[in-house]
Amino acid sequence: MASEQDVRARLQRAGQEHLLRFWAELAPEPRAALLAELALLEPEALREHCRRAAEACARPHGPPPDLAARLRPLPPERVGRASRSNPETRRRWEEEGFRQISLNKVAVLLLAGGQGTRLGVTYPKGMYRVGLPSRKTLYQLQAERIRRVEQLAGERHGTRCTVPWYVMTSEFTLGPTAEFFREHNFFHLDPANVVMFEQRLLPAVTFDGKVILERKDKVAMAPDGNGGLYCALEDHKILEDMERRGVEFVHVYCVDNILVRLADPVFIGFCVLQGADCGAKVVEKAYPEEPVGVVCQVDGVPQVVEYSEISPETAQLRAADGGLLYNAGNICNHFFTRGFLKAVTREFEPLLKPHVAVKKVPYVDEAGNLVKPLKPNGIKMEKFVFDVFRFAKNFVAFEVLREEEFSPLKNAELADRDSPSTSRRALLTQHYRWALRAGARFLDAHGAWLPELPSLPPNGDPPAICEISPLVSYSGEGLEVYLQGREFQSPLILDEDQARELQPQES
Ligand SMILES: CC(=O)N[C@H]1[C@@H](OP(=O)(O)OP(=O)(O)OC[C@H]2O[C@@H](n3ccc(=O)[nH]c3=O)[C@H](O)[C@@H]2O)O[C@H](CO)[C@@H](O)[C@@H]1O
């Protein structure tokens, strides 16, 4: 273990000796913990990190003044559209996606290192239950979609195939996530195909470039952003693991979208057939201030401008057809070839510029009291996963329907948008639509017909509650066999057992 003198000398080189200011008061155990933590901070990198944070903080906040002039929407030839393409084209994309999955060439990678502060829970977001009748968590829904897509690809191609699940966690989420997966028997996935790894942390810094102590014996550390993925891939040799398994295409996604289609064959097939090395799913932005990044071009190069970095004037600009000019909303679902990820980890990662987030960071004051600040007092530096788009040789975007694919859980219950209720309704409304399309009719508790509403109010519950297990249907397919011409009392929970009962008997 590093000695106090060593660590003190390193901190001096980094200009951060204050981190040992409570040393004399600490008992042997906290001393050892603090030394171990500080020994991991490499002096030159730490000095640079603090310098950059203070410098970024001194710059005027807000988007660079010339950004608006450098922005353009993506050219139409770079954008595929799931809903507006003819069924034959869509079928070709899907077929190609399933083919790649059946060849074991597709993996999914979950970004699950975030702290979920807006939702306000102390455990990882993936463990959250939005109140579905089945009581499933986000992690369980995701695991079941993986199982179903493997099954569908396998059936089409007469094979057994695997979509490995890579899960990037951070110090805050690794322990509870790993425990949760074990407790739930990996949701019946083979644990050998679930690979968890941890992203790095970075110290939070005051506005004048001093690392913050969260306790007398602990530095305030925060994950290095979802763009920490690229260092983490390298740290844990994840690309080598992918190579061993023969994975060529990776679907990277964020944890909180209840409608996420893991390893979506249509998206994968589209990207593969376009020869893309990098791609992003987008939805039409709902309103100018919606907190989603916009996929666009900056100086002619594909990029995402994050919602926190675009000016309200630019976000409100209209196109000739009256829609938003920058309407390609990023839903944090990305396609990468393994080759591209390799180039990023080898060459481009150091070129990614950290973004500055000004936050309220709890700290110990000079007198050693714990303070929960009411105003932002610290800077966290984060890299963004999409900042690698500009290095792609062939970037494509793929627009999908919001009601089918995007309903993120960001906020606690009382918020109007992106809350547990809005996520739950989005899923139940989708399943209700699928059931009607497959020929089901619903009755209320007294046996009266419930109205069939083709379009539902955005924040209202569907007339009947219907939840379909991802193990029965991945994207609405194959439901006629259970539902066609049948009447159901609400609520209907169509899980595997119920599906077996509804299966027509062979005579
Ligand atoms: C930087 C980024 O991608 N921003 C996107 C993100 O915004 P948003 O600000 O909502 O991003 P979050 O903070 O929720 O993070 C997105 C995902 O990254 C993960 N995470 C975050 C930080 C971290 O250090 N490690 C980590 O793994 C989170 O667990 C989550 O799964 O989703 C929106 C859609 O919902 C998009 O419109 C935004 O453009």
Side-chain angles (χ1 to χ4, degrees), residues 207 358-361 363 372-378:
F207 298 152
V358 179
K359 304 257 171 147
K360 292 180 223 160
V361 185
Y363 66 99
K372 278 201 166 176
L374 300 172
K375 282 192 315 203
N377 62 321

Side-chain angles (χ1 to χ4, degrees), residues 432-440 476 478-486:
Y432 170 73
R433 260 196 323 268
W434 289 354
L436 290 188
R437 215 173 49 208
L479 293 171
E480 292 76 7
V481 61
Y482 314 116
L483 303 182
Q484 180 77 57
R486 287 191 150 127

Side-chain angles (χ1 to χ4, degrees), residues 36 199 213:
Q199 69 180 102
L213 272 183

Side-chain angles (χ1 to χ4, degrees), residues 1-3 6 31-33 35-36:
M1 200 181 75
S3 70
D6 282 353
R31 276 187 175 184
L35 276 193

Side-chain angles (χ1 to χ4, degrees), residues 110-118 125 168-170 173 199-200 222-229 253-257 290-294 304-308 329-334 355 359 382-386 406 408-410 418:
L110 166 60
L111 303 168
Q115 291 173 288
T117 24
R118 278 176 286 170
K125 251 193 202 183
M168 181 175 84
T169 58
S170 64
T173 57
Q199 69 180 102
R200 298 182 188 175
D224 57 354
N226 59 13
L229 170 66
Y253 70 100
C254 81
V255 70
D256 55 26
N257 175 12
E290 185 180 18
V292 292
V294 290
V304 176
V305 177
E306 188 62 320
Y307 57 91
S308 48
N330 173 37
I331 63 168
C332 202
N333 267 251
H334 309 313
H355 300 250
K359 304 257 171 147
E382 297 187 332
K383 290 187 171 176
F384 290 169
V385 64
F386 49 64
F406 185 52
L409 172 63
K410 305 281 183 194
D418 303 342

Side-chain angles (χ1 to χ4, degrees), residues 3-259:
S3 70
E4 182 211 335
Q5 283 85 344
D6 282 353
V7 169
R8 219 175 260 284
R10 287 160 67 96
L11 290 176
Q12 235 153 28
R13 265 169 37 220
Q16 303 292 329
E17 314 85 286
H18 67 285
L19 294 175
L20 286 174
R21 69 180 186 273
F22 297 107
W23 181 257
E25 303 174 26
L26 296 178
E29 231 174 86
R31 276 187 175 184
L34 181 61
L35 276 193
E37 187 173 39
L38 294 174
L40 293 175
L41 302 173
E42 207 277 313
E44 270 63 49
L46 181 61
R47 170 179 283 282
E48 185 56 17
H49 170 71
C50 296
R51 190 192 61 76
R52 275 177 139 185
E55 188 186 274
C57 191
R59 273 199 302 269
H61 293 308
D66 61 340
L67 181 66
R70 295 157 54 205
L71 279 191
R72 294 286 176 277
L74 281 179
E77 64 276 12
R78 286 205 181 273
V79 188
R81 293 200 158 81
S83 56
R84 293 187 225 164
S85 313
N86 69 46
E88 180 47 31
T89 310
R90 211 190 121 89
R91 202 199 51 73
R92 247 183 346 106
W93 294 335
E94 186 180 51
E95 189 47 48
E96 177 63 13
F98 274 128
R99 195 175 73 82
Q100 298 295 351
I101 294 170
S102 76
L103 295 169
N104 296 316
K105 290 192 177 181
V106 178
V108 290
L109 192 154
L110 166 60
L111 303 168
Q115 291 173 288
T117 24
R118 278 176 286 170
L119 183 60
V121 292
T122 50
Y123 53 85
K125 251 193 202 183
M127 288 162 53
Y128 197 85
R129 290 195 176 101
V130 299
L132 292 171
S134 65
R135 298 180 44 79
K136 285 179 187 171
T137 57
L138 295 175
Y139 282 149
Q140 182 168 356
L141 293 170
Q142 293 171 20
E144 292 183 353
R145 289 190 192 128
I146 294 177
R147 287 172 58 199
R148 176 72 179 167
V149 85
E150 288 174 345
Q151 184 196 353
L152 289 171
E155 279 169 4
R156 280 184 187 226
H157 292 274
T159 58
R160 272 178 69 90
C161 56
T162 302
V163 174
W165 193 6
Y166 294 91
V167 183
M168 181 175 84
T169 58
S170 64
E171 189 179 288
F172 301 94
T173 57
L174 178 62
T177 302
E179 176 71 23
F180 192 73
F181 275 52
R182 274 195 301 272
E183 270 170 20
H184 291 83
N185 194 19
F186 287 78
F187 311 100
H188 304 285
L189 289 162
D190 180 346
N193 298 327
V194 180
V195 180
M196 288 191 197
F197 60 103
E198 212 177 322
Q199 69 180 102
R200 298 182 188 175
L201 299 178
L202 286 173
V205 173
T206 58
F207 298 152
D208 56 357
K210 295 288 177 205
V211 170
I212 298 175
L213 272 183
E214 151 187 308
R215 290 196 316 248
K216 290 179 179 176
D217 59 347
K218 178 142 189 25
V219 175
M221 300 290 277
D224 57 354
N226 59 13
L229 170 66
Y230 307 107
C231 278
L233 289 176
E234 186 67 10
D235 289 348
H236 302 282
K237 304 273 168 277
I238 298 297
L239 295 179
E240 287 77 348
D241 184 86
M242 290 182 181
E243 189 172 5
R244 270 196 302 280
R245 294 170 190 261
V247 168
E248 295 296 339
F249 309 112
V250 187
H251 174 207
V252 172
Y253 70 100
C254 81
V255 70
D256 55 26
N257 175 12
I258 196 165
L259 303 181

Side-chain angles (χ1 to χ4, degrees), residues 306-369:
E306 188 62 320
Y307 57 91
S308 48
E309 297 177 353
I310 193 165
S311 73
E313 297 75 34
T314 309
Q316 280 163 11
L317 290 174
R318 298 276 160 182
D321 65 2
L324 291 175
L325 181 62
Y326 297 107
N327 74 343
N330 173 37
I331 63 168
C332 202
N333 267 251
H334 309 313
F335 167 93
F336 298 116
T337 60
R338 183 169 53 79
F340 178 70
L341 290 174
K342 197 162 164 185
V344 169
T345 55
R346 295 261 160 95
E347 260 177 82
F348 304 127
E349 197 289 326
L351 307 178
L352 299 181
K353 290 209 177 64
H355 300 250
V356 174
V358 179
K359 304 257 171 147
K360 292 180 223 160
V361 185
Y363 66 99
V364 274
D365 65 13
E366 288 305 319
N369 303 309

